[in-house]
Structures are given as structure tokens and as C-alpha cells.
């Protein structure tokens, strides 16, 4: 099974900060990686698919990069609406989610 | 507008069974893969099972293989998850999720979730 490891688990940041979340796969997943945002009590929301393709309607401050086994989600200037938990997901072989990164207010 | 409406959750004893349903609307259901993803209380997301657009291919996480069965009825725009031999560790909110393509396992729309509680 492919394991996905996110870091950090929790991130404290301020509005306007540049934020980077890392996701590492236990083996190559090519470009089959997505990022989701989840707020408490709500379903996840797809932000990015295929490593770097922004989903329609998602603000351009979100971007994704990486390849093979190491990937990043970057928020260029953190906004109040961005405080949430973020998950990476591989879909190269079945599907596996990372354990999540909670972005909280500093 | 895409809508996914799950139903069928509830309280069940260990060893029992439940069938979840997810009624879809607002898109051509028969050309998209569908999946179930769960989230235990206070925990992260776990993909459970997926089915291709035609229903000809099904996929399961190791944790549920042999106990859960996914199916779909394209005439009713509905996907199902039959859950047997339930365990306490199956307690979670179960989300229905729409794939981006006919066999996709990345999800562009999600339902609101239905809570399954396995407890004696």
C-alpha cells in the first residue's frame, strides 16, 4: 500500500503569511496527487488535482508542485477563510489520504 | 447544481449490517466513477471503496475488503455501500464522492455525509 505523510501536522500562521505544506509518498505516484481543504463539520473541497491543476473557482493564491514522491501545497498569502485542515491524496494506486495538516491562527 | 445525498446511516451493533445509499443529481451520473470515503470522529479521511462509471470495476481498501460491497444503479442515479460484519472501528461519517472522470479516484463533489455508529 502507498502511504502518504504530510508535514507539519499543525501549522500556526497569520493572515498574509506564505504557507507551505509538504506531502511525501512511500513510492512513486507519478502526477496522481490532489489537495483538499476541509472545515469543521463540512465535507472536503477539492483544491488541486494532478499535482498542480487548480480546480475551477479556487483562488489563485493556492498552488501545487512536486513530482514522483514529494509534493507541496502553497498558499501565497493566507486569508481568513483559509484556516482549515488540508489533506493530500494519491490516486495512482487505489487511493490514500495523508493524515492532514491543520492551519490555525497564530 | 451537483448534489449528492447520502442516507442509511445509524446505530448498529458489532457484527451487524447497514446499507448506505447516495442519490446523485445535477450531472450525468452514468459517466462518472463514484467512491465512498469515511472519517472517524476527530480523525482524517480514509478512502473506503470506488466503482467505475459502468459498475464493471470495483475497488476496496484492505480494511473493508470482504465485508463491504459497492454497487450502483445508473437508472436510479444512485450508488450504494453494503456494509456487513461491522466493527467498532467502522464508526465514522461516510461521504459519497464523485470522481472527475469515468474511473477517477480524485473527487470534485462530495455529499454532506452520513454517520455510522457501531456500538453495543
Amino acid at each position: 500500500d502507498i502511504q502518504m505523510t504530510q508535514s507539519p501536522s499543525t501549522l500556526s500562521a497569520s493572515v498574509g503569511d506564505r504557507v507551505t505544506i509538504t506531502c511525501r509518498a512511500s513510492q512513486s505516484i507519478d502526477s496522481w496527487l490532489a489537495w483538499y481543504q476541509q472545515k469543521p463539520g463540512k465535507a472536503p473541497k477539492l483544491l488541486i488535482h494532478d499535482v498542480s491543476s487548480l480546480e475551477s473557482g479556487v483562488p489563485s493564491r493556492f498552488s501545487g508542485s512536486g513530482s514522483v514522491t514529494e509534493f507541496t501545497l502553497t498558499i501565497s498569502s493566507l486569508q481568513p477563510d483559509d484556516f482549515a485542515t488540508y489533506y493530500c491524496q494519491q490516486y495512482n494506486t487505489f487511493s490514500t489520504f495523508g493524515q492532514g495538516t491543520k492551519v490555525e491562527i497564530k | 447544481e451537483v448534489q449528492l445525498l447520502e442516507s442509511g446511516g445509524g446505530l448498529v451493533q458489532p457484527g451487524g449490517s447497514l446499507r448506505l445509499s447516495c442519490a446523485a443529481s445535477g450531472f450525468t451520473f452514468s459517466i462518472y466513477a463514484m467512491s465512498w470515503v469515511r472519517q472517524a470522529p476527530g480523525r482524517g479521511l480514509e478512502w473506503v471503496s470506488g466503482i467505475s462509471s459502468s459498475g464493471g470495476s470495483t475497488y476496496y481498501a484492505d480494511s473493508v475488503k470482504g465485508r463491504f460491497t459497492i454497487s450502483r444503479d445508473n437508472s436510479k442515479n444512485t450508488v450504494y455501500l453494503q456494509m456487513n460484519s461491522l466493527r467498532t472501528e467502522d464508526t465514522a461519517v461516510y461521504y459519497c464522492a464523485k470522481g472527475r472522470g469515468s474511473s477517477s479516484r480524485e473527487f470534485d463533489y462530495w455529499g454532506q455525509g452520513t454517520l455510522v455508529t457501531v456500538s453495543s
Side-chain angles (χ1 to χ4, degrees):
Chain A
D1 290 4
I2 298 177
Q3 310 301 319
M4 304 298 290
T5 304
Q6 285 181 236
S7 60
S9 297
T10 306
L11 189 159
S12 297
S14 302
V15 172
D17 284 353
R18 181 181 181 87
V19 166
T20 299
I21 299 169
T22 298
C23 181
R24 290 187 173 87
S26 59
Q27 63 190 75
S28 173
I29 58 170
D30 292 329
S31 297
W32 305 117
L33 184 102
W35 290 96
Y36 297 84
Q37 177 193 67
Q38 188 180 33
K39 296 182 178 179
K42 300 294 187 181
K45 173 187 175 182
L46 177 65
L47 299 175
I48 289 169
H49 60 89
D50 301 344
V51 177
S52 59
S53 295
L54 204 64
E55 185 69 0
S56 177
V58 174
S60 59
R61 63 181 179 272
F62 291 92
S63 64
S65 63
S67 63
V68 188
T69 62
E70 188 154 337
F71 305 89
T72 59
L73 172 70
T74 300
I75 310 172
S76 60
S77 177
L78 198 65
Q79 298 303 299
D81 190 49
D82 302 338
F83 291 98
T85 299
Y86 294 84
Y87 294 93
C88 62
Q89 178 213 16
Q90 70 82 17
Y91 43 98
N92 179 71
T93 305
F94 300 117
S95 176
T96 316
F97 289 90
Q99 81 278 16
T101 295
K102 183 177 181 181
V103 177
E104 60 181 26
I105 300 173
K106 189 172 184 179
Chain B
E1 179 192 6
V2 172
Q3 289 193 330
L4 300 170
L5 186 60
E6 302 97 337
S7 60
L11 175 64
V12 62
Q13 292 187 337
S17 298
L18 275 179
R19 187 173 89 150
L20 306 183
S21 300
C22 172
S25 61
F27 64 101
T28 307
F29 180 76
S30 62
I31 64 172
Y32 292 97
M34 300 293 295
S35 276
W36 290 93
V37 177
R38 69 185 180 183
Q39 187 168 35
R43 305 294 295 274
L45 302 170
E46 180 188 15
W47 173 80
V48 172
S49 181
I51 187 167
S52 62
S53 57
S54 67
S57 297
T58 58
Y59 312 89
Y60 299 94
D62 287 345
S63 58
V64 307
K65 201 173 296 181
R67 301 188 299 122
F68 290 11
T69 302
I70 191 170
S71 61
R72 65 189 294 161
D73 185 338
N74 285 346
S75 69
K76 295 183 178 179
N77 289 357
T78 301
V79 61
Y80 305 96
L81 187 67
Q82 177 67 44
M83 305 186 296
N84 299 331
S85 303
L86 282 160
R87 305 167 179 167
T88 55
E89 56 264 35
D90 295 318
T91 294
V93 173
Y94 284 73
Y95 293 101
C96 169
K98 171 187 168 293
R100 291 185 60 253
S102 62
S103 60
S104 298
R105 291 182 298 281
E106 75 279 24
F107 313 120
D108 54 1
Y109 289 94
W110 298 62
Q112 85 291 345
T114 187
L115 177 62
V116 172
T117 302
V118 184
S119 174
S120 54

